[in-house]
Amino acid sequence: MPDNSATRPVNIQDLDIRSTPRDQMELAELDTFEYEYPGRKIWIDFEIPEFTAICPFSDFPDFAVIRLSYVPNKRCIELKSLKMYINSFRNVKIFHEHVMNVILEDFVAACDPLRVRIEGDFHVRGNIKTVVRARYSKDDGRS
C-alpha cells in the first residue's frame, strides 16, 4: 500500500507558472449607483458570454461564460463599468479558481450586496470542462 502521508511535489511538470500578481492586474474600477428601494430584495442576473483571461501554464487564452447574480443592498453595479472590469482580465494570467474569487471580492467591495452568486463556466480545454462557483451572503459573511 502506498504511503499517503507524503504530499506530491508541486509543479511536477516543471513548468514556468507565473500568475499576474494582484497588484499588477490593472483591472478597471467597478462603479455603482444608489438602489432606490433598499429593503426590497430583488435578484439581478448578468450573463457575460465573452470572458477571457490568460492561462498561467500555457499562456493561451481561457474563455468562459460568467454568470453573476446579486441582491442589492444600497448600491447597484453600473453596467458599463462591469463590462470594462470584466474585459480588463484579457491580459491577466490567472487560474479559473482564482478569477472567480477575485471577481467576487471586488464585486462585494464595490457595492456591498446582500447576496452574490457567481459562476465561471469555462470552455473545454484539453478534454476537461471546468465550472467554478462562489457565493457570498452579508448575513453571515461566509462564502
Side-chain angles (χ1 to χ4, degrees), residues 16-133:
D16 185 18
I17 306 166
R18 294 186 194 179
S19 296
T20 304
R22 182 74 160 111
D23 63 346
Q24 294 176 18
M25 288 186 184
E26 298 182 11
L27 300 175
E29 294 290 324
L30 286 167
D31 203 359
T32 65
F33 60 91
E34 182 181 354
Y35 178 50
E36 295 179 6
Y37 300 91
R40 185 173 294 168
K41 295 181 181 176
I42 61 169
W43 280 97
I44 301 169
D45 300 319
F46 302 123
E47 184 166 292
I48 306 160
E50 297 177 351
F51 177 84
T52 305
I54 305 295
C55 173
F57 272 101
S58 67
D59 287 339
F60 291 141
D62 281 325
F63 300 94
V65 176
I66 305 293
R67 293 179 187 88
L68 191 149
S69 300
Y70 77 106
V71 177
N73 185 11
K74 296 178 182 176
R75 310 289 304 165
C76 294
I77 287 292
E78 191 277 322
L79 290 180
K80 182 178 180 187
S81 76
L82 179 61
K83 174 180 74 171
M84 300 303 288
Y85 172 80
I86 290 296
N87 288 345
S88 63
F89 278 94
R90 290 187 178 180
N91 297 317
V92 173
K93 291 183 179 186
I94 189 166
F95 292 102
H96 301 161
E97 298 83 355
H98 300 164
V99 74
M100 292 298 98
N101 283 296
V102 168
I103 294 171
L104 181 65
E105 287 175 358
D106 289 351
F107 192 89
V108 169
C111 71
D112 187 33
L114 297 176
R115 290 186 183 79
V116 180
R117 294 186 306 234
I118 185 169
E119 175 182 275
D121 186 351
F122 290 84
H123 296 3
V124 174
R125 159 90 51 103
N127 199 31
I128 296 178
K129 178 165 182 55
T130 305
V131 177
V132 180
R133 295 179 186 92

